[in-house]
Amino acid sequence: RASSVRESEAEVKQLRTELRRLRQARDQAAERRASREKSSQLAGVHGQDAMSLTTETEALEEELQRVRSEKANFESQLAKIKFCFAETLQHADEMKYLIEHYEDQLRTLIPDFEPVDYSLNGQLLRPANTLDFLETESKSSGNTNDQLPSHTLGEKQRRRHKSIPS
């Protein structure tokens, strides 16, 4: 009984394999027939239709070449931009570490040193119109740095101003 079951299973397996092979043969035959019909349709196209198809094909191929060259150009530009961006990021990191190094050196030399707050994005700590007013006053009265109030002078100038006897 077990042997007859094995024989039946082997026969089913063999039939499935044969069925698969026949289906593949049918599909290949259908593809060949469709290909022949397509080629006969193209052969049946008369002279002017064939010429228009040829010119259309050439135009499409030219368009494809143009698009491919544009794509290659864009890809090369993108690569250049990515490279420049990476260099810029590296340069910014190097500058950050360099600034930190010099700030550390300044802290050791000058105990009251306070680093610049970079969140101000380069803005002055005092309003711009104060400087304009002081500059205008200085020009009109002939004042020099020695005659300006000490709050308008920089740290180095204040030290020099204090050390100079009046």
Side-chain angles (χ1 to χ4, degrees), residues 48-106:
Q48 195 173 29
D49 291 340
M51 290 294 260
S52 67
L53 286 176
T54 303
T55 56
E56 184 178 342
T57 304
E58 289 173 358
L60 289 173
E61 287 176 355
E62 288 175 9
E63 177 71 16
L64 179 63
Q65 281 298 103
R66 186 185 63 77
V67 168
R68 283 181 179 164
S69 66
E70 283 180 3
K71 180 183 174 188
N73 187 22
F74 288 143
E75 286 176 351
S76 68
Q77 287 178 359
L78 178 63
K80 287 177 186 176
I81 289 171
K82 283 184 176 182
F83 182 75
C84 289
F85 182 68
E87 282 182 334
T88 303
L89 287 178
Q90 182 180 4
H91 183 69
D93 286 343
E94 290 170 357
M95 291 302 295
K96 177 184 169 189
Y97 294 126
L98 188 63
I99 289 170
E100 288 175 1
H101 170 74
Y102 284 116
E103 284 177 350
D104 289 342
Q105 285 187 348
L106 284 170

Coordinates of all heavy atoms in Angstrom, one line a residue, residues 48-106:
Q48 N 5.6 55.8 -46.8 CA 5.5 57.1 -46.0 C 5.4 56.8 -44.5 O 6.0 57.5 -43.7 CB 4.4 57.9 -46.5 CG 4.5 59.4 -46.1 CD 3.4 60.2 -46.8 OE1 2.4 59.7 -47.1 NE2 3.7 61.5 -47.0
D49 N 4.6 55.8 -44.1 CA 4.4 55.5 -42.7 C 5.7 55.0 -42.1 O 6.1 55.3 -41.0 CB 3.3 54.4 -42.6 CG 2.0 55.0 -42.9 OD1 1.8 56.2 -42.8 OD2 1.1 54.2 -43.1
A50 N 6.5 54.2 -42.9 CA 7.8 53.7 -42.4 C 8.8 54.9 -42.2 O 9.5 54.9 -41.3 CB 8.3 52.7 -43.4
M51 N 8.7 55.9 -43.2 CA 9.6 57.0 -43.0 C 9.3 57.8 -41.8 O 10.1 58.3 -41.1 CB 9.5 57.9 -44.3 CG 10.1 57.2 -45.5 SD 11.9 57.1 -45.3 CE 12.4 58.4 -46.3
S52 N 8.0 58.0 -41.6 CA 7.6 58.8 -40.4 C 8.0 58.1 -39.1 O 8.4 58.7 -38.1 CB 6.1 59.1 -40.4 OG 5.3 57.9 -40.3
L53 N 7.8 56.8 -39.1 CA 8.3 56.0 -37.9 C 9.8 56.1 -37.7 O 10.2 56.2 -36.6 CB 7.8 54.5 -38.1 CG 6.4 54.2 -37.9 CD1 6.1 52.7 -38.2 CD2 5.9 54.6 -36.5
T54 N 10.5 56.1 -38.8 CA 12.0 56.2 -38.7 C 12.4 57.5 -38.2 O 13.2 57.6 -37.3 CB 12.6 56.0 -40.1 OG1 12.2 54.7 -40.6 CG2 14.1 56.0 -40.0
T55 N 11.8 58.6 -38.7 CA 12.1 59.9 -38.2 C 11.7 60.1 -36.8 O 12.4 60.8 -36.0 CB 11.5 61.0 -39.1 OG1 10.1 60.8 -39.1 CG2 12.1 61.0 -40.5
E56 N 10.5 59.6 -36.4 CA 10.1 59.7 -35.0 C 11.0 58.9 -34.1 O 11.4 59.4 -33.0 CB 8.7 59.1 -34.9 CG 8.1 59.2 -33.5 CD 6.6 58.7 -33.4 OE1 6.0 58.5 -34.5 OE2 6.2 58.5 -32.3
T57 N 11.5 57.7 -34.5 CA 12.4 57.0 -33.7 C 13.8 57.7 -33.6 O 14.3 57.8 -32.5 CB 12.7 55.6 -34.4 OG1 11.5 54.9 -34.6 CG2 13.7 54.8 -33.6
E58 N 14.2 58.3 -34.6 CA 15.5 59.1 -34.5 C 15.3 60.3 -33.6 O 16.2 60.6 -32.8 CB 15.9 59.6 -35.9 CG 16.4 58.5 -36.8 CD 16.6 59.0 -38.3 OE1 16.4 60.2 -38.6 OE2 17.1 58.1 -39.1
A59 N 14.2 61.0 -33.7 CA 13.9 62.1 -32.8 C 13.9 61.7 -31.3 O 14.4 62.3 -30.5 CB 12.6 62.8 -33.2
L60 N 13.2 60.5 -31.1 CA 13.2 60.0 -29.7 C 14.6 59.6 -29.2 O 14.9 59.8 -28.0 CB 12.2 58.8 -29.6 CG 10.7 59.2 -29.8 CD1 9.9 57.9 -29.8 CD2 10.3 60.1 -28.6
E61 N 15.4 59.0 -30.1 CA 16.7 58.7 -29.7 C 17.6 59.9 -29.4 O 18.4 59.9 -28.4 CB 17.4 57.8 -30.8 CG 16.8 56.4 -30.9 CD 17.4 55.6 -32.0 OE1 18.2 56.2 -32.8 OE2 17.1 54.4 -32.1
E62 N 17.4 61.0 -30.2 CA 18.1 62.2 -29.9 C 17.7 62.8 -28.6 O 18.5 63.3 -27.8 CB 17.9 63.2 -31.1 CG 18.6 62.9 -32.4 CD 18.2 63.8 -33.5 OE1 17.6 64.9 -33.2 OE2 18.6 63.5 -34.6
E63 N 16.4 62.8 -28.3 CA 15.9 63.3 -27.1 C 16.4 62.5 -25.9 O 16.8 63.0 -24.9 CB 14.3 63.2 -27.1 CG 13.7 63.6 -25.8 CD 13.7 65.1 -25.5 OE1 14.1 65.9 -26.4 OE2 13.5 65.5 -24.4
L64 N 16.5 61.2 -26.1 CA 17.0 60.3 -25.0 C 18.5 60.6 -24.8 O 18.9 60.7 -23.6 CB 16.9 58.8 -25.5 CG 17.4 57.8 -24.5 CD1 16.7 57.8 -23.2 CD2 17.3 56.4 -25.1
Q65 N 19.3 60.9 -25.8 CA 20.7 61.2 -25.7 C 20.8 62.6 -24.9 O 21.7 62.7 -24.1 CB 21.4 61.3 -27.0 CG 21.8 60.0 -27.6 CD 22.8 59.3 -26.7 OE1 22.4 58.4 -26.0 NE2 24.0 59.8 -26.7
R66 N 20.0 63.5 -25.3 CA 20.0 64.8 -24.7 C 19.7 64.7 -23.2 O 20.4 65.3 -22.3 CB 19.0 65.8 -25.3 CG 19.1 67.2 -24.8 CD 18.0 68.1 -25.4 NE 16.7 67.7 -25.1 CZ 16.1 67.9 -23.9 NH1 16.7 68.5 -22.9 NH2 14.9 67.5 -23.6
V67 N 18.7 63.9 -22.8 CA 18.3 63.8 -21.4 C 19.4 63.0 -20.7 O 19.7 63.4 -19.5 CB 16.9 63.0 -21.3 CG1 16.6 62.5 -19.9 CG2 15.8 63.8 -21.9
R68 N 20.0 62.1 -21.3 CA 21.1 61.4 -20.6 C 22.3 62.3 -20.4 O 22.9 62.2 -19.3 CB 21.6 60.2 -21.5 CG 20.6 59.0 -21.4 CD 21.1 57.8 -22.2 NE 20.2 56.7 -22.1 CZ 20.2 55.7 -22.9 NH1 21.1 55.6 -23.9 NH2 19.3 54.7 -22.7
S69 N 22.6 63.2 -21.3 CA 23.7 64.1 -21.1 C 23.4 65.1 -20.1 O 24.2 65.5 -19.2 CB 24.1 64.8 -22.4 OG 23.1 65.6 -22.9
E70 N 22.1 65.6 -20.0 CA 21.7 66.5 -18.9 C 21.8 65.8 -17.6 O 22.3 66.4 -16.6 CB 20.3 66.9 -19.1 CG 20.1 68.0 -20.2 CD 18.6 68.4 -20.4 OE1 17.8 67.9 -19.6 OE2 18.4 69.3 -21.2
K71 N 21.4 64.6 -17.5 CA 21.5 63.8 -16.3 C 22.9 63.7 -15.8 O 23.2 63.8 -14.6 CB 20.8 62.4 -16.5 CG 20.9 61.6 -15.2 CD 20.3 60.2 -15.5 CE 20.5 59.3 -14.2 NZ 20.2 57.9 -14.5
A72 N 23.8 63.3 -16.8 CA 25.2 63.2 -16.4 C 25.8 64.5 -15.9 O 26.6 64.6 -15.0 CB 26.0 62.7 -17.6
N73 N 25.4 65.6 -16.6 CA 25.8 67.0 -16.2 C 25.3 67.3 -14.8 O 26.1 67.8 -13.9 CB 25.3 68.0 -17.2 CG 25.9 69.4 -16.9 OD1 26.9 69.5 -16.2 ND2 25.2 70.4 -17.4
F74 N 24.1 67.0 -14.5 CA 23.5 67.2 -13.1 C 24.2 66.4 -12.1 O 24.5 66.9 -11.0 CB 22.0 67.0 -13.1 CG 21.2 68.0 -13.8 CD1 20.1 67.6 -14.5 CD2 21.5 69.4 -13.8 CE1 19.3 68.6 -15.2 CE2 20.8 70.3 -14.4 CZ 19.6 69.9 -15.2
E75 N 24.5 65.2 -12.4 CA 25.2 64.3 -11.5 C 26.6 64.8 -11.2 O 27.0 64.8 -10.0 CB 25.2 62.8 -12.0 CG 23.9 62.1 -11.9 CD 23.9 60.7 -12.6 OE1 25.0 60.4 -13.2 OE2 23.0 60.0 -12.4
S76 N 27.3 65.3 -12.2 CA 28.6 65.8 -11.9 C 28.6 67.1 -11.1 O 29.4 67.3 -10.2 CB 29.4 66.1 -13.3 OG 28.8 67.1 -14.0
Q77 N 27.6 67.9 -11.4 CA 27.4 69.1 -10.6 C 27.1 68.8 -9.1 O 27.6 69.4 -8.2 CB 26.3 70.0 -11.1 CG 26.7 70.7 -12.4 CD 25.5 71.6 -13.0 OE1 24.4 71.6 -12.4 NE2 25.8 72.2 -14.1
L78 N 26.2 67.8 -8.9 CA 25.8 67.4 -7.6 C 27.1 66.8 -6.9 O 27.3 67.1 -5.7 CB 24.8 66.3 -7.7 CG 24.3 65.7 -6.3 CD1 23.7 66.8 -5.5 CD2 23.4 64.5 -6.5
A79 N 27.9 66.1 -7.5 CA 29.1 65.6 -6.9 C 30.0 66.7 -6.5 O 30.6 66.7 -5.4 CB 29.8 64.6 -7.9
K80 N 30.2 67.7 -7.4 CA 31.0 68.9 -7.0 C 30.5 69.6 -5.8 O 31.2 70.0 -4.9 CB 31.1 69.8 -8.2 CG 32.0 69.3 -9.4 CD 32.0 70.3 -10.5 CE 32.7 69.7 -11.7 NZ 32.6 70.6 -12.9
I81 N 29.2 69.8 -5.8 CA 28.5 70.5 -4.7 C 28.7 69.8 -3.4 O 29.0 70.3 -2.4 CB 27.0 70.8 -5.0 CG1 26.9 71.8 -6.1 CG2 26.3 71.2 -3.8 CD1 25.6 72.0 -6.7
K82 N 28.5 68.4 -3.4 CA 28.7 67.6 -2.2 C 30.1 67.7 -1.7 O 30.3 67.8 -0.5 CB 28.3 66.2 -2.5 CG 26.8 66.0 -2.6 CD 26.5 64.5 -2.7 CE 25.0 64.2 -2.7 NZ 24.7 62.8 -2.8
F83 N 31.1 67.7 -2.7 CA 32.5 67.8 -2.3 C 32.8 69.1 -1.6 O 33.4 69.2 -0.6 CB 33.4 67.5 -3.5 CG 34.8 67.5 -3.2 CD1 35.4 66.5 -2.6 CD2 35.6 68.6 -3.5 CE1 36.7 66.5 -2.3 CE2 36.9 68.6 -3.2 CZ 37.5 67.6 -2.6
C84 N 32.3 70.2 -2.2 CA 32.5 71.5 -1.7 C 31.8 71.7 -0.3 O 32.4 72.3 0.6 CB 32.0 72.6 -2.6 SG 33.0 72.8 -4.1
F85 N 30.6 71.1 -0.2 CA 29.9 71.1 1.1 C 30.7 70.4 2.2 O 30.9 70.9 3.3 CB 28.5 70.5 0.9 CG 27.7 70.6 2.2 CD1 27.3 71.8 2.7 CD2 27.4 69.4 2.8 CE1 26.5 71.8 3.9 CE2 26.6 69.4 4.0 CZ 26.2 70.6 4.5
A86 N 31.3 69.2 1.8 CA 32.0 68.5 2.8 C 33.3 69.3 3.2 O 33.7 69.3 4.4 CB 32.4 67.1 2.2
E87 N 33.9 69.9 2.2 CA 35.1 70.7 2.5 C 34.8 71.9 3.4 O 35.5 72.2 4.4 CB 35.8 71.2 1.2 CG 36.6 70.3 0.5 CD 37.2 70.9 -0.7 OE1 36.7 71.9 -1.3 OE2 38.3 70.4 -1.2
T88 N 33.6 72.5 3.2 CA 33.2 73.6 4.0 C 32.9 73.2 5.4 O 33.3 73.9 6.4 CB 31.9 74.3 3.4 OG1 32.2 74.7 2.0 CG2 31.5 75.5 4.1
L89 N 32.2 72.1 5.6 CA 31.9 71.5 6.9 C 33.2 71.2 7.6 O 33.4 71.5 8.8 CB 31.1 70.3 6.8 CG 29.6 70.5 6.5 CD1 28.9 69.2 6.4 CD2 28.9 71.4 7.5
Q90 N 34.2 70.6 6.9 CA 35.5 70.3 7.5 C 36.2 71.6 8.0 O 36.7 71.7 9.1 CB 36.3 69.5 6.6 CG 37.7 69.1 7.2 CD 38.5 68.3 6.2 OE1 38.1 68.1 5.1 NE2 39.7 67.8 6.6
H91 N 36.2 72.6 7.1 CA 36.8 73.9 7.4 C 36.1 74.5 8.6 O 36.8 75.1 9.5 CB 36.7 74.8 6.2 CG 37.4 76.1 6.4 ND1 38.8 76.3 6.5 CD2 36.9 77.4 6.5 CE1 39.1 77.5 6.6 NE2 37.9 78.2 6.7
A92 N 34.8 74.5 8.7 CA 34.1 75.0 9.8 C 34.5 74.3 11.1 O 34.7 75.0 12.2 CB 32.6 75.0 9.6
D93 N 34.6 73.0 11.1 CA 35.0 72.2 12.2 C 36.4 72.6 12.7 O 36.7 72.8 13.9 CB 34.9 70.7 12.0 CG 33.5 70.2 11.9 OD1 32.6 70.9 12.5 OD2 33.3 69.1 11.4
E94 N 37.3 72.8 11.7 CA 38.7 73.1 12.0 C 38.7 74.5 12.7 O 39.4 74.8 13.6 CB 39.5 73.1 10.8 CG 39.8 71.7 10.3 CD 40.4 71.7 8.9 OE1 40.6 72.8 8.3 OE2 40.7 70.6 8.4
M95 N 37.9 75.5 12.1 CA 37.9 76.8 12.7 C 37.3 76.8 14.1 O 37.8 77.5 15.0 CB 37.0 77.7 11.8 CG 37.7 78.0 10.4 SD 39.3 78.8 10.6 CE 38.9 80.3 11.4
K96 N 36.3 76.0 14.3 CA 35.7 75.9 15.7 C 36.8 75.4 16.7 O 36.9 76.0 17.7 CB 34.6 74.9 15.6 CG 33.9 74.6 17.0 CD 32.8 73.6 16.8 CE 32.4 73.1 18.2 NZ 31.5 72.0 18.1
Y97 N 37.5 74.4 16.3 CA 38.6 73.9 17.2 C 39.7 74.9 17.4 O 40.2 75.1 18.5 CB 39.1 72.6 16.7 CG 38.1 71.5 16.8 CD1 37.8 70.7 15.7 CD2 37.4 71.2 17.9 CE1 36.9 69.7 15.7 CE2 36.4 70.2 18.0 CZ 36.2 69.4 16.9 OH 35.2 68.5 16.9
L98 N 40.0 75.6 16.3 CA 41.0 76.7 16.4 C 40.6 77.8 17.4 O 41.3 78.3 18.2 CB 41.3 77.2 15.0 CG 42.5 78.1 14.9 CD1 43.8 77.4 15.3 CD2 42.6 78.7 13.5
I99 N 39.3 78.2 17.2 CA 38.8 79.3 18.1 C 38.8 78.8 19.5 O 39.2 79.5 20.4 CB 37.4 79.6 17.6 CG1 37.5 80.4 16.3 CG2 36.7 80.5 18.7 CD1 36.1 80.6 15.6
E100 N 38.4 77.6 19.8 CA 38.4 77.0 21.1 C 39.8 77.0 21.7 O 40.0 77.3 22.9 CB 37.8 75.6 21.2 CG 36.3 75.6 21.0 CD 35.7 74.2 20.9 OE1 36.5 73.2 21.0 OE2 34.5 74.1 20.7
H101 N 40.8 76.6 20.9 CA 42.2 76.6 21.3 C 42.6 78.0 21.8 O 43.2 78.2 22.8 CB 43.0 76.1 20.2 CG 44.5 76.2 20.5 ND1 45.2 75.4 21.4 CD2 45.4 77.1 19.9 CE1 46.4 75.8 21.4 NE2 46.6 76.8 20.5
Y102 N 42.4 79.0 20.9 CA 42.8 80.4 21.3 C 42.0 80.9 22.4 O 42.5 81.7 23.2 CB 42.7 81.3 20.0 CG 43.9 81.0 19.1 CD1 43.7 80.5 17.8 CD2 45.2 81.2 19.5 CE1 44.8 80.2 17.0 CE2 46.3 80.9 18.7 CZ 46.1 80.4 17.4 OH 47.1 80.2 16.6
E103 N 40.7 80.6 22.5 CA 40.0 81.0 23.7 C 40.5 80.4 25.0 O 40.7 81.1 26.0 CB 38.5 80.6 23.6 CG 37.7 81.5 22.6 CD 36.3 81.0 22.4 OE1 35.9 79.9 22.9 OE2 35.5 81.8 21.8
D104 N 40.9 79.2 24.9 CA 41.6 78.6 26.1 C 42.9 79.3 26.5 O 43.2 79.5 27.6 CB 41.8 77.1 25.9 CG 40.6 76.2 25.8 OD1 39.5 76.7 26.3 OD2 40.6 75.1 25.3
Q105 N 43.7 79.6 25.4 CA 44.9 80.3 25.7 C 44.7 81.7 26.3 O 45.3 82.1 27.2 CB 45.7 80.4 24.4 CG 46.4 79.2 24.0 CD 47.3 79.4 22.8 OE1 47.4 80.4 22.2 NE2 48.2 78.4 22.6
L106 N 43.6 82.4 25.8 CA 43.3 83.7 26.3 C 42.8 83.6 27.8 O 43.1 84.4 28.6 CB 42.3 84.4 25.4 CG 42.8 85.0 24.1 CD1 41.6 85.4 23.3 CD2 43.7 86.1 24.4

